[in-house]
Amino acid sequence: MSGYFSSILQGALLTVGVSLAALMVAILLGLLGAVAKLSGRPLVVGLATVYTTLVRGVPELVLMLLIYYGGTIGLNNLLEAMGSKASVDINPFLAGVLTIGFIYGAYMTETFRGAILSIPKGQMEAAWAFGMGPVRTFVRITAPQMVRYALPGFTNNWLVLIKATALISLIGLQEMTYLAKQASAATREPFTFFLFAAALFLVYTSVSLWALRWLERRFSLGVKRANA
């Protein structure tokens, strides 16, 4: 029994790695999507809107299978059409990270867009009047305040993203949900191993909540006191 628990713990490390890597992808896409939606350029706004609408309207499982299996078939067909005999196999870890990041990038887009809109526009106009460029204005003025407004929605997206990593077992990655299922099938004790996996998820999310609450307090210093 101890061997099964050890393997599930090793799978938990893979879950942590996938979720953190996917979070980086989601944050990057979320920032790009939010900036695109607020750019005022019809083509850019339209592309960002299509991205967020389609991704949020299609189940995560369908997107993951499309990217992993459909992407592999598409690339191999493209190589064959070009006369190449080479074949491509998408790495399951990379496919899982990119798919989850791509999906939650759409949710992060709306979270960041709402946070930016919550900042008084006069602050950015004042920065421009002092000669700050768009990038410097974002780094010095917009981003620090955006974090405070975005953290509640960001927290929810992050917690759901963590749980979504269980789907990567469908494309061959042996994360802790997959290993718990294997252990329960071998020992016929599903409750033991699935409860253990659930406890690991709970520990992971609890640590995440503690860290995010600390960040929220850090970026809200002086604000709540002033509003009191």
Side-chain angles (χ1 to χ4, degrees), residues 91-128:
N91 181 275
F93 179 87
L94 182 62
V97 167
L98 293 180
T99 303
I100 295 175
F102 183 75
I103 293 169
Y104 285 92
Y107 293 95
M108 293 293 186
T109 293
E110 296 302 327
T111 298
F112 295 152
R113 185 180 70 88
I116 293 173
L117 289 174
S118 299
I119 303 172
K121 192 175 180 180
Q123 296 191 20
M124 289 174 278
E125 292 174 346
W128 298 334

Side-chain angles (χ1 to χ4, degrees), residues 15-16 28 41 44 54 75-76 92 101 126 156 159 163 195 204 219:
T15 297
V16 172
L28 176 60
R41 300 177 182 177
V44 177
L54 288 179
L75 287 174
N76 286 327
N156 288 333
L159 295 179
K163 293 183 288 185
L195 284 175
Y204 192 12
F219 281 93

